[in-house]
Amino acid sequence: MKTNLIVFAIAISLLCSCATPRYLPAAENIPSSQYGANIKVYRFKAQAIIQGELIAVDSNKIIVRSDATKICREIPKSEIQRYLVRYAEGYHYGWTIPTYALATISHGFLLVITMPLNIVVTSIITGNAENEFTYKQKHLPYEQLNMFARFPQGIPPNIKLEDIK
């Protein structure tokens, strides 16, 4: 039983430690970041999901530099079903899940109660910390998306989409 709980704790910690894109700043470096936030756009057409750096926003479309293809794509506002914006790296507390779960070994027979409880609580805390710098569409209206774009006022006229790296 103890072995199963330990394996479960390690599996949970690996699943909860998601990697964030390298261009997202740490929380303390947000004001000086030169890049846009990471956005995940769910589209009506073809049920496609586009994830990448938010480059620019205007009243009709958003421009996203795809993480997968490294190409800037224009997405019309009418095709956007919903979006999720992550503007900084979350805190990574994945190590606490197995560490605190193993610490409950000192609880003796109460281990049967305290270890699962400890795993649940630390998993919730880890998940919330990872998503601390994330906005959903209901919290961030389309009209305010430009605050998180690389070019908040729009792409300058002398820059072509193909040149954005």
Side-chain angles (χ1 to χ4, degrees), residues 64-83:
V64 176
R65 183 173 183 266
S66 172
D67 287 341
T69 62
K70 308 294 185 212
I71 296 171
C72 290
R73 299 181 63 175
E74 294 183 7
I75 306 168
K77 183 180 177 182
S78 61
E79 289 185 17
I80 298 172
Q81 180 181 11
R82 60 189 165 100
Y83 52 83

Side-chain angles (χ1 to χ4, degrees), residues 19-27 29-30 32-40 50-55 63-68 70 84-89 148-150 165:
T20 56
R22 292 194 181 273
Y23 55 82
L24 285 181
N29 298 330
I30 291 172
S32 61
S33 177
Q34 64 190 13
Y35 297 104
N38 179 266
I39 188 166
K40 186 184 261 188
I50 298 172
Q51 183 169 353
E53 181 188 354
L54 181 58
I55 300 296
I63 299 172
V64 176
R65 183 173 183 266
S66 172
D67 287 341
K70 308 294 185 212
L84 189 80
V85 176
R86 178 176 283 176
Y87 61 95
E89 291 182 19
F148 296 98
R150 186 191 295 193
K165 303 289 181 216

Side-chain angles (χ1 to χ4, degrees), residues 3 6 8 22 52 55 60-61 64 76 83 93 105 117 137:
T3 309
I6 292 169
F8 177 72
R22 292 194 181 273
I55 300 296
N60 301 321
K61 67 181 181 298
V64 176
Y83 52 83
Y93 297 123
I105 291 174
L117 184 62
Q137 184 173 357

